[in-house]
């Protein structure tokens, strides 16, 4: 018996409407948008930025405590639940869920911004400033950042696997708090906010990676990079995805993403061998050492007396982006983490995630930095005159194998983007579906619709133009998710304490018999 898959028109129209209106407004008056968005960014970042730093620190302490506490050994799915995936498969899936083509962009070029405007008011060009330029990315993509993914993963995972709540939605992570059930108004609100934040977080990612892919394609094909080419890149990625979704090639796209991991690591290996291998190792060790020694300082530096804007421009932006992206990663990782203990989820996500992202920064970032320092390529000049995407092309041009290395990188970035469309549109479509009997997929038209919506935001942001404009999308999308994060932490703890009472009456082995609704 197949039940009907019903669209949830409220969630559908509210989230599509918000994103549609924003895009329409920006297209109708891009000049006003170019002025307004940076102002909004400045205002929001200055106002709530320090709060993000504080919450980030509290979160890390909370997670480490949770992992080491008696709740750390609680297993998702109950005490006897077997692990669904082996550790290597789990680690690579969680890594791929958590990052996208945005990592490829920023690992290549982030250092060049820090090189020009170093942290802590250091004078540019000093050995210390250069070491920080190489190291700071390891922090922005490191343990504190991955912690933002952990909370939704645990809150959703525990409610889903141990409490038998049958929905993979963000409201599932809030279900331990009265009023937040999937069909209650607050729960619906959470799921609708989730959809908007996902559109903002994924839109940011595509907003960074699209110009990079377009610039690489232009260089490989020998044509001029342009806004038209950027739109074409996004459309081709979207069509690739739509074709595979329409043909029901879910398995296909999964294989493609496995292949992608292979491609990207082959690329990193190539750079590692062809580039200054010894320097990568030295810079990696130094970078991790610097971040470890200064961990509290980095997490708490709010630049109260300086005016370089480093924290507002970078740490706050990154925290916002991780937060906005957190719920979708949480949903996915919760789903694949059955059989893992809370401790394994916390240390595994933070550990494997940080190491995977760090590898990109150590190899790709230091390759570019070394080109700059040896005078082989003036990457910084290229960045300032032609933008980040062209600066990446300049770095890639220095690699051996002519355009082949660059092609490998570009193909991996396209597949990363296509898989972002795939998972994001699937989750958006599920969130806007009222009842989705297990084993059934949301309607195809919805998935294609959301893929188009996911493309609309980055196209509009690119049309208005500028780093700040893209950053603003992430910042705004993150604000409501922070509030939901507090509810999730509360819900998780309420359920854990209820199921594992202090005086030895441990019920952690039993999945909750009834869905709590
Ligand atoms: N985060 C990890 O494109 C991407 O890498 C998506 C970005 C949130 C900074 C994720």
């Amino acid at each position: 018996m197949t039940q009907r898959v019903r669209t949830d028109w409220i969630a559908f129209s509210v989230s599509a409407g918000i994103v549609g209106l924003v895009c329409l407004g920006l297209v109708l008056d891009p000049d006003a948008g170019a002025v307004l968005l940076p102002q909004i960014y400045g205002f929001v970042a200055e106002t709530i930025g320090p709060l993000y730093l504080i919450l980030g620190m509290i979160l890390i302490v909370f997670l480490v405590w949770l992992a080491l506490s008696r709740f750390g050994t609680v297993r998702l799915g109950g005490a006897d639940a077997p692990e669904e995936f082996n550790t290597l498969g789990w680690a690579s899936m969680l890594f791929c869920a958590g990052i996208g083509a945005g990592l490829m962009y920023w690992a290549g070029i982030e250092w060049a911004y820090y090189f020009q405007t170093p942290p802590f008011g250091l004078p540019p060009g000093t050995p210390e400033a250069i070491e920080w330029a190489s190291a700071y990315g390891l922090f922005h993509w490191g343990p504190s950042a991955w912690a933002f993914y952990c909370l939704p993963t645990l809150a959703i995972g525990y409610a889903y696997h141990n409490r038998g709540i049958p929905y993979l939605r963000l409201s599932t992570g809030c279900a331990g708090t009265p009023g937040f059930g999937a069909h209650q108004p607050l729960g619906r609100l959470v799921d609708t906010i989730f959809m908007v934040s996902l559109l903002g977080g994924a839109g940011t990612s595509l907003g960074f990676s699209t110009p990079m892919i377009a610039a690489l394609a232009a260089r490989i094909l020998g044509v001029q990079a342009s806004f038209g080419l950027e739109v074409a890149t996004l459309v081709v990625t979207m069509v690739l995805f739509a074709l595979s979704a329409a043909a029901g090639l879910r398995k296909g796209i999964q294989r493609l993403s496995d292949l992608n991991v292979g491609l990207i690591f082959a690329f990193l290996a190539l750079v590692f061998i062809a580039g200054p291998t010894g320097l990568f190792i030295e810079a990696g060790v130094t970078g991790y050492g610097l971040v470890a020694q200064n961990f509290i300082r980095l997490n708490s530096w709010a630049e109260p007396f300086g005016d370089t804007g480093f924290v507002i421009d970078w740490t706050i932006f990154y925290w916002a982006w991780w937060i906005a992206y957190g719920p979708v990663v949480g949903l996915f990782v919760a789903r694949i983490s059955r059989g893992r203990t809370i401790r394994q989820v916390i240390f595994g996500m933070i550990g494997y995630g940080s190491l995977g992202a760090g590898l990109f920064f150590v190899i790709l970032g230091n390759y570019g930095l070394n080109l700059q320092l040896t005078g082989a390529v003036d990457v910084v000049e290229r960045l300032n005159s032609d933008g980040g995407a062209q600066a990446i092309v300049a770095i890639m041009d220095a690699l051996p194998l002519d355009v082949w290395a660059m092609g490998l990188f570009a193909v991996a970035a396209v597949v990363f983007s296509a898989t972002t469309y795939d998972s994001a549109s699937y989750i958006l479509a599920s969130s806007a579906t009222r009842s989705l009997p297990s084993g059934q997929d949301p309607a195809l038209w919805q998935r294609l619709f959301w893929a188009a919506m996911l493309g609309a935001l980055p196209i509009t942001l690119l049309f208005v133009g500028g780093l700040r404009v893209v950053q603003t999308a992430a910042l705004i999308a993150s604000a409501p998710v922070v509030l939901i994060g507090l509810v999730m932490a509360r819900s998780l703890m309420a359920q854990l304490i209820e199921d594992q009472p202090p005086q030895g009456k441990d019920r952690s082995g039993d999945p909750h018999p009834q869905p709590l609704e």
Side-chain angles (χ1 to χ4, degrees):
M1 184 193 71
T2 42
Q3 291 176 34
R4 233 162 66 81
V5 173
R6 278 169 43 225
T7 301
D8 181 338
W9 288 109
I10 297 187
F12 182 95
S13 20
V14 171
S15 37
I18 290 178
V19 175
L21 280 178
V22 169
C23 291
L24 194 69
L26 291 176
V27 168
L28 289 180
D29 199 345
D31 295 338
V35 176
L36 197 63
L37 286 180
Q39 280 174 359
I40 296 179
Y41 184 91
F43 177 74
V44 180
E46 302 260 0
T47 325
I48 59 176
L51 183 73
Y52 279 22
L53 296 179
I54 295 169
L55 287 176
M57 284 185 285
I58 294 177
L59 183 59
I60 280 257
V61 174
F62 168 69
L63 289 172
V64 171
W65 167 81
L66 190 63
L68 301 178
S69 75
R70 68 195 168 90
F71 302 119
T73 51
V74 171
R75 202 173 284 283
L76 297 183
D80 304 323
E83 283 170 7
E84 198 176 341
F85 299 97
N86 65 32
T87 302
L88 186 67
W90 180 70
S92 68
M93 279 192 278
L94 80 84
F95 180 69
C96 288
I99 55 106
L103 171 67
M104 301 171 71
Y105 177 82
W106 285 111
I109 207 63
E110 199 166 317
W111 63 268
Y113 288 91
Y114 306 160
F115 184 84
Q116 300 182 76
T117 311
F120 314 125
L122 293 167
T126 56
E128 212 188 341
I130 294 171
E131 283 180 7
W132 274 118
S134 151
Y136 227 99
L138 297 175
F139 169 63
H140 284 149
W141 296 73
S144 316
W146 283 86
F148 287 116
Y149 284 174
C150 256
L151 177 63
T153 305
L154 291 173
I156 298 168
Y158 190 78
Y160 183 74
H161 294 297
N162 298 54
R163 284 291 187 122
I165 298 197
Y167 307 104
L168 268 177
R169 292 183 177 172
L170 188 58
S171 59
T172 304
C174 302
T177 301
F180 282 87
H183 297 304
Q184 292 172 312
L186 285 175
R188 299 310 301 134
L189 181 67
V190 165
D191 289 330
T192 309
I193 290 175
F194 161 68
M195 293 174 72
V196 179
S197 76
L198 169 50
L199 285 159
T204 307
S205 178
L206 296 165
F208 287 129
S209 54
T210 305
M212 172 181 84
I213 298 170
L216 291 166
R219 166 73 182 78
I220 293 169
L221 302 173
V223 297
Q224 197 67 36
S226 63
F227 177 65
L229 192 65
E230 290 174 359
V231 175
T233 305
L234 211 59
V235 171
V236 167
T237 320
M238 235 150 50
V239 167
L240 258 185
F241 149 74
L243 284 178
S244 67
L249 293 181
R250 205 159 169 72
K251 283 247 153 46
I253 205 135
Q254 255 161 30
R255 267 189 222 119
L256 213 56
S257 77
D258 288 348
L259 171 75
N260 201 33
V261 179
L263 284 179
I264 196 68
F265 282 101
F267 175 81
L268 285 181
L270 171 80
V271 181
F272 187 69
I273 295 163
T277 309
L279 179 119
F280 293 144
I281 298 172
E282 286 165 14
V285 172
T286 307
Y288 272 111
L290 266 182
V291 172
Q293 270 173 43
N294 292 278
F295 194 64
I296 297 180
R297 181 186 191 191
L298 296 179
N299 275 285
S300 57
W301 182 48
E303 198 177 17
F305 306 115
D307 58 359
T308 64
F310 189 95
V311 177
I312 296 280
D313 287 352
W314 296 108
T315 311
I316 304 300
F317 151 63
Y318 267 121
W319 276 195
W321 193 11
W322 285 86
I323 291 169
Y325 223 78
V328 64
V329 179
L331 276 188
F332 180 78
V333 182
R335 164 71 193 79
I336 62 170
S337 296
R338 187 181 171 81
R340 306 227 157 236
T341 62
I342 289 191
R343 185 174 302 158
Q344 283 175 330
V345 171
I346 294 175
F347 291 142
M349 269 189 109
I350 292 183
Y352 294 124
S354 306
L355 280 178
L359 213 55
F360 279 75
F361 277 84
V362 168
I363 298 178
L364 205 54
N366 286 312
Y367 182 74
L369 177 56
N370 185 55
L371 291 175
Q372 181 76 34
L373 294 175
T374 54
V377 181
D378 194 347
V379 182
V380 170
E381 202 277 319
R382 198 61 191 273
L383 170 70
N384 295 341
S385 55
D386 302 326
Q390 290 300 336
I392 301 243
V393 172
I395 296 172
M396 296 291 144
D397 257 334
L399 283 170
L401 304 183
D402 199 19
V403 292
W404 288 102
M406 194 183 292
L408 186 65
F409 185 80
V411 169
V414 169
V415 181
F416 254 138
S417 303
T419 48
T420 300
Y421 277 118
D422 182 59
S423 49
S425 65
Y426 188 89
I427 286 175
L428 284 164
S430 322
S431 297
T433 301
R434 208 154 232 292
S435 61
L436 193 58
S438 116
Q440 282 199 41
D441 288 334
L444 180 63
W445 72 263
Q446 268 227 48
R447 297 186 57 198
L448 299 181
F449 171 82
W450 289 114
M453 280 312 275
L454 274 163
L457 191 62
I459 287 183
T460 318
L461 296 174
L462 292 173
F463 180 62
V464 177
L467 177 64
R468 253 304 179 262
V469 170
V470 183
Q471 285 180 324
T472 312
L475 188 65
I476 294 177
S478 70
V481 180
V482 170
L483 295 177
I484 300 175
L486 298 176
V487 180
M488 282 192 290
R490 192 212 157 271
S491 302
L492 175 66
M493 285 320 294
Q495 291 174 333
L496 280 174
I497 292 169
E498 197 181 309
D499 292 351
Q500 277 78 214
Q503 300 94 1
K505 282 226 162 229
D506 193 341
R507 302 205 290 122
S508 62
D510 317 324
H512 206 276
Q514 290 294 324
L516 284 189
E517 264 258 34

